[in-house]
Amino acid sequence: MSASGFASLPKPPYYAVIFSSLRNDRDDAGYGAMADRMVELAAQQPGFLGVESTRGADGFGITVAYWDSEDAIRAWRQHAEHTAAREQGRRDWYDHFELRVAKVERAYGWNRSPE
Amino acid sequence: MSASGFASLPKPPYYAVIFSSLRNDRDDAGYGAMADRMVELAAQQPGFLGVESTRGADGFGITVAYWDSEDAIRAWRQHAEHTAAREQGRRDWYDHFELRVAKVERAYGWNRSPE
């Protein structure tokens, strides 16, 4: 994840894992540390392309992780430390989440020109 | 968009338009009114399935709109009021955005059981 929040991605096709979640109001420090660790760990996995993530003050957040293949998504899902983090998420941090796996077919970006 | 922030979607396959954006710090009222209007208008279009959206205090936001077909996405893109809103977005509200169109192939959700 770049400082700006945007992932730098190759040209499509590639895969997106869209994770929408509602945090409860407990254990912000523990959750934040784990979220940072999962980004750090995901970025070390084969096939990881990038991640974008944000959460509003109401606790609703969206994280989109980008991968080069379904195999890479499957391997990350089976990673032991990630599996443990997901279990802790259900136990301690989330009230609701939805996960969607999608194949990105086209992409377009725009940046403001320097004034 | 439900009160909780989550979209209620049918079983895949369907399409996702993932819109990541960085707001500048100007015209929050005008931007907010237009964002609300675009959600209201999108929800009236054929093929619209739902939308999820959030933005952090740093101005980085992610909106994912779900549609039943590429044709529905194309028609929404060509809607005159939406086209005008996009032009205003580039002129007044955004410093950077990235848009990715993806086909959702599978989905999974989890809700905390009442305690």
Side-chain angles (χ1 to χ4, degrees), chain A residues 8 20 24 27 34 36 40 47 49 54 59 63 69 75 78 80 89 93 100:
Chain A
S8 291
S20 303
N24 57 35
D27 190 26
M34 182 66 90
D36 289 347
E40 177 190 10
L49 298 178
T54 185
T63 296
S69 68
Q78 292 170 352
W93 295 320
R100 289 129 187 163

Side-chain angles (χ1 to χ4, degrees), chain A residues 5-6 20 52 54 56 60 70 90 94-103 105-108 110 112, chain B residues 5-6 20 52 54 56 60 66 70 90 94-97 99-103 105-110 112:
Chain A
F6 292 96
S20 303
E52 296 180 349
T54 185
F60 183 76
E70 288 263 28
R90 283 189 292 264
Y94 295 121
D95 282 345
H96 180 178
F97 64 72
E98 301 288 339
L99 185 147
R100 289 129 187 163
V101 180
K103 184 177 185 179
E105 299 178 341
R106 50 198 170 87
Y108 168 76
W110 176 87
R112 184 173 300 285
Chain B
F6 291 96
S20 304
E52 297 179 348
T54 185
F60 183 76
Y66 293 97
E70 288 262 29
R90 283 189 291 264
Y94 295 121
D95 281 346
H96 181 177
F97 65 72
L99 184 148
R100 288 126 186 165
V101 179
K103 184 177 185 180
E105 298 178 341
R106 51 200 171 84
Y108 168 77
W110 176 87
R112 183 172 300 284

Side-chain angles (χ1 to χ4, degrees), chain B residues 12-86:
Chain B
Y14 48 79
Y15 288 84
V17 178
I18 307 165
F19 180 75
S20 304
S21 64
L22 182 63
R23 279 272 290 123
N24 58 35
D25 54 4
R26 298 193 292 274
D27 190 25
D28 271 351
Y31 171 77
M34 182 66 90
D36 290 347
R37 170 64 182 154
M38 286 301 109
V39 168
E40 177 192 10
L41 191 63
Q44 297 167 9
Q45 306 308 306
F48 176 85
L49 298 177
V51 63
E52 297 179 348
S53 188
T54 185
R55 188 175 304 280
D58 59 358
F60 183 76
I62 300 174
T63 296
V64 189
Y66 293 97
W67 299 88
D68 72 0
S69 68
E70 288 262 29
D71 281 350
I73 293 170
R74 198 169 302 118
W76 172 234
R77 179 171 170 74
Q78 292 169 354
H79 190 289
E81 193 174 338
H82 182 212
T83 299
R86 290 201 309 278

Side-chain angles (χ1 to χ4, degrees), chain A residues 31-101:
Chain A
Y31 170 77
M34 182 66 90
D36 289 347
R37 172 62 182 154
M38 285 302 109
V39 168
E40 177 190 10
L41 191 62
Q44 297 168 10
Q45 305 308 306
F48 175 85
L49 298 178
V51 63
E52 296 180 349
S53 187
T54 185
R55 188 175 303 281
D58 59 357
F60 183 76
I62 301 175
T63 296
V64 189
Y66 293 97
W67 300 88
D68 72 0
S69 68
E70 288 263 28
D71 281 351
I73 293 169
R74 197 170 302 117
W76 172 235
R77 181 172 168 75
Q78 292 170 352
H79 189 290
E81 193 174 337
H82 182 210
T83 298
R86 290 201 308 277
E87 289 169 0
Q88 192 169 1
R90 283 189 292 264
R91 191 176 63 231
D92 295 336
W93 295 320
Y94 295 121
D95 282 345
H96 180 178
F97 64 72
E98 301 288 339
L99 185 147
R100 289 129 187 163
V101 180

